[in-house]
Amino acid sequence: MTETAIADHGLVGDLQTAALVATDGSIDWFCCPRFDSPSVFGALLDDARGGHFRISPVGTEYRTKQMYFPDSAALITRFFTEDGVGEVIDFMPPVDSNATDNHRIARMLRCVRGAINFEVVVAPRFDYGRQAHQTNVTEHGAVFTTDELALTVHVVREPDDARLARLRVEDGDIHISLDLVAGQLRGLVLESAADGPPREIRVTEIRRLFDATVGYWRSWLARSTYRGRWREAVERSAITLKLLTYAPTGGLVAAPTMGLPEQIGGERNWDYRYSWVRDASFSVDALLRLGFVDEAARFGGWLGDRIREGAGSGASGPLNIMYRVDGSSDLTEEVLDHWSGYLGSRPVRVGNNAADQLQLDIYGEAMDSLFVADRAGIQTPHRGWTAIRGVLDWLADHWDQPEEGIWETRGGRQRFTYGRLMSWVAFDRGVRLAAAHGRPAAVDRWVLERNGIYHQIMEQGWSPARRAFVQHYHTDVLDSSLLLMPKVGFIAPRDPMWLSTLDAMDSELVTDSLVFRYDPAASPDGLRGSEGTFSLCTFTYVDALTRAGRHNDARQAFEKMLTYANHVGLYSEEIALTGEQLGNFPQAFTHLALINAAVTLDSVLERRKRFQ
């Protein structure tokens, strides 16, 4: 069990798929041709059988450091040896919004000082390691082929380089040795669906490709309007969200990975390579707050498509909670029995059966994002409004029933307070949109349902014994999803009932600024084991503290949370007791919440500074 730690990775991508590069120079995770396609390199989940693309110095000990090329998604892994300093620069040239099977991972090898002998090992394991491949070596590289996919390795070199006599094939994998001295740059380009056999790529060509890729990211990031205190963390989060976007549809995957555990050795190992309605909804608000109007419009368009397509409504309502990146909804879950899992954490799941759960909160999140977009000038067309009316009319008939809840637990349906809260948001935003634009709608009924939900939450979602709002109507368990109550406008942020709830969460769910979702021991969720603190909830806690006027507490919690980022500013889903990052990585939801918390807190601190 030698898998590299989750946090010891950086992310590169081309807006249709992505790869994780470890600090030792190994690509440990890559799915092709899409985020939700089978893996080609999967050493992150099984170092022995998953496959990898490793580059590292050979014959000497070395230390490594990793960083992003400033304001970009190009990743630099540096190696420090007794004989010299070398680096691998990884990037994926962005592809346009048209879906394609052609993707490139460029790996530039450079000797900075002295001399470096790099060893390259390309060991793909197609279809999660279930499909054998053939290897064909040529003068300019190699081709790995299966019945469904081919990967071509092109060699980067100069005309006067000797032929690659030091290339060998072992069990279908290729091994290459490259000796470089200070100033030399060579490399490899891994390409799917290449047009023709391997070709020799000149150094000038890969440099141009690198410059174009960095230029793309810098041009995109320059559109950000954020100039606050935590600009570096916010901009890295924005780039991460962009990397997790499937450009052809505008959908946002929750994470590029699957099967990473919420507890080492536990069974909470989900597949997150899909587009959640909830994540996409929150992304609209976060990106608009940074000035990325086009991206917010794309996410809004993705949501609108899902709403229009769901007009017929199935068992889970007009909307599924998640979709594949192309908008389809077949996410049948299976287990990869032949993989050991990250540090022995099994089962390793592909697909996600939670897709069919009834989670009523998604309707409020979707409507809130459309409302926020509308205020930014991104209006809903007639067909979209007609679909929205159908969704809200369905919700009026169905909101008052048990459901599975936001956390996708598998312990049975309950009357979750958060689901009711977001149903209130759905009707509230629908009423506001209808009034703002004079749109036809069953406004009287929507107002009636909105008011009924409000009274129900105040009467049944409030626990006099706990002096707090609770997870569902038949428990005293607290739930940090309710930290959004003041943000969505359900309750005033300094209402005594809310301040009392915040105090209760402080004492039970918060540990030195880190926040648990809920207590699984007190609220059985159908799964064995425990989990770490949930990073999304920690950043949401910062937002709630800020709105409650606890600005110093909010800033301290935010600054502490920044120390849990990995070496290049990325966050997974959870933080373990040891401070280790757990769960799928990097997680879009966490980076969305970081942006929202930073913008909210920074705005308040700026106002305070002006009046001092």
Side-chain angles (χ1 to χ4, degrees), residues 45-308:
L45 290 175
D46 191 317
D47 187 64
R49 291 177 288 270
H52 54 260
F53 184 172
R54 289 179 180 161
I55 299 177
S56 60
V58 65
T60 183
E61 293 184 355
Y62 58 86
R63 296 178 297 109
T64 68
K65 293 186 179 181
Q66 201 172 60
M67 60 174 281
Y68 277 109
F69 200 81
D71 301 331
S72 82
L75 189 70
I76 304 173
T77 306
R78 313 199 80 203
F79 300 92
F80 301 85
T81 76
E82 291 184 354
D83 299 319
V85 178
E87 60 188 24
V88 178
I89 304 171
D90 289 298
F91 62 95
M92 295 181 68
V95 290
D96 61 26
S97 58
N98 297 319
T100 178
D101 289 340
N102 188 259
H103 304 276
R104 291 173 290 174
I105 301 177
R107 312 202 73 184
M108 297 196 304
L109 285 68
R110 177 170 173 257
C111 182
V112 179
R113 304 179 65 185
I116 295 285
N117 180 11
F118 282 109
E119 181 180 48
V120 180
V121 180
V122 188
R125 298 293 182 267
F126 294 87
D127 189 25
Y128 309 110
R130 296 180 296 193
Q131 192 172 58
H133 66 270
Q134 295 78 45
T135 303
N136 181 34
V137 175
T138 74
E139 178 183 1
H140 302 307
V143 181
F144 304 98
T145 59
T146 70
D147 292 338
E148 298 177 359
L149 184 65
L151 290 179
T152 302
V153 178
H154 308 283
V155 175
V156 178
R157 61 187 178 190
E158 293 293 75
D160 57 350
D161 287 350
R163 294 184 61 181
L164 289 178
R166 296 169 63 191
L167 182 152
R168 67 184 191 277
V169 179
E170 292 183 9
D171 298 326
D173 305 332
I174 63 171
H175 298 249
I176 304 171
S177 293
L178 289 172
D179 295 334
L180 301 181
V181 297
Q184 283 188 316
L185 186 151
R186 299 295 184 267
L188 303 101
V189 175
L190 181 75
E191 183 176 12
S192 64
D195 184 14
R199 65 184 182 88
E200 187 175 84
I201 296 176
R202 295 285 184 260
V203 170
T204 54
E205 180 181 347
I206 199 169
R207 284 187 183 275
R208 286 196 301 270
L209 197 61
F210 171 77
D211 291 341
T213 300
V214 170
Y216 170 88
W217 286 105
R218 288 183 169 176
S219 176
W220 180 81
L221 193 60
R223 292 160 42 201
S224 172
T225 57
Y226 181 78
R227 299 294 182 269
R229 290 165 175 79
W230 301 286
R231 186 172 173 179
E232 183 176 354
V234 167
E235 291 186 343
R236 181 51 55 194
S237 290
I239 290 174
T240 303
L241 294 179
K242 182 73 170 174
L243 283 170
L244 298 182
T245 302
Y246 184 67
T249 62
L252 177 79
V253 295
T257 57
M258 53 170 253
L260 292 176
E262 298 173 14
Q263 179 189 26
I264 300 299
E267 65 173 330
R268 303 165 189 263
N269 315 319
W270 314 117
D271 189 346
Y272 273 18
R273 301 169 300 153
Y274 308 115
S275 297
W276 266 252
V277 168
R278 183 180 300 113
D279 297 41
S281 299
F282 282 121
S283 71
V284 172
D285 184 33
L287 291 172
L288 282 174
R289 297 181 85 179
L290 299 183
F292 292 111
V293 178
D294 291 345
E295 281 69 24
R298 288 282 288 155
F299 288 135
W302 181 86
L303 275 173
D305 289 342
R306 304 291 80 73
I307 291 172
R308 287 190 295 273

Side-chain angles (χ1 to χ4, degrees), residues 280-500:
S281 299
F282 282 121
S283 71
V284 172
D285 184 33
L287 291 172
L288 282 174
R289 297 181 85 179
L290 299 183
F292 292 111
V293 178
D294 291 345
E295 281 69 24
R298 288 282 288 155
F299 288 135
W302 181 86
L303 275 173
D305 289 342
R306 304 291 80 73
I307 291 172
R308 287 190 295 273
E309 292 167 2
S313 79
S316 59
L319 288 176
N320 290 341
I321 68 168
M322 70 182 93
Y323 299 84
R324 288 191 173 276
V325 294
D326 62 1
S328 61
S329 55
D330 179 17
L331 283 81
T332 302
E333 190 173 302
E334 61 176 311
V335 172
L336 300 182
D337 289 324
H338 63 291
W339 272 8
S340 62
Y342 176 80
L343 299 183
S345 302
R346 304 181 71 182
V348 177
R349 293 184 172 93
V350 176
N352 200 317
N353 282 343
D356 294 327
Q357 288 188 352
L358 175 64
Q359 297 181 16
L360 294 171
D361 63 278
I362 62 173
Y363 298 99
E365 288 141 359
M367 286 302 302
D368 189 56
S369 70
L370 296 175
F371 177 72
V372 169
D374 183 83
R375 290 194 298 178
I378 307 170
Q379 294 189 17
T380 302
H382 170 70
R383 282 186 60 216
W385 178 252
T386 300
I388 287 171
R389 286 168 50 195
V391 166
L392 289 180
D393 289 342
W394 177 90
L395 188 62
D397 291 328
H398 294 89
W399 68 263
D400 195 12
Q401 63 175 307
E403 38 124 8
E404 273 90 1
I406 180 177
W407 304 128
E408 296 168 19
T409 58
R410 303 191 178 188
R413 294 184 174 184
Q414 298 287 349
R415 287 180 165 81
F416 285 102
T417 306
Y418 182 75
R420 302 303 200 263
L421 167 71
M422 297 312 291
S423 295
W424 176 91
V425 170
F427 291 122
D428 179 75
R429 300 326 188 240
V431 169
R432 291 170 185 251
L433 285 170
H437 299 290
R439 298 282 178 86
V443 173
D444 289 344
R445 187 181 183 194
W446 294 355
V447 169
L448 185 66
E449 299 299 336
R450 180 188 66 180
N451 294 347
I453 296 171
Y454 181 90
H455 292 304
Q456 188 187 89
I457 291 176
M458 287 299 183
E459 293 169 3
Q460 299 184 55
W462 170 262
S463 168
R466 297 300 308 272
R467 295 192 51 78
F469 291 101
V470 291
Q471 185 179 68
H472 59 81
Y473 292 173
H474 304 295
T475 187
D476 284 336
V477 172
L478 302 178
D479 192 314
S480 60
S481 65
L482 298 178
L483 286 165
L484 285 172
M485 293 182 87
K487 184 179 187 298
V488 300
F490 181 85
I491 193 168
R494 303 192 190 190
D495 186 297
M497 293 177 73
W498 175 247
L499 295 179
S500 177

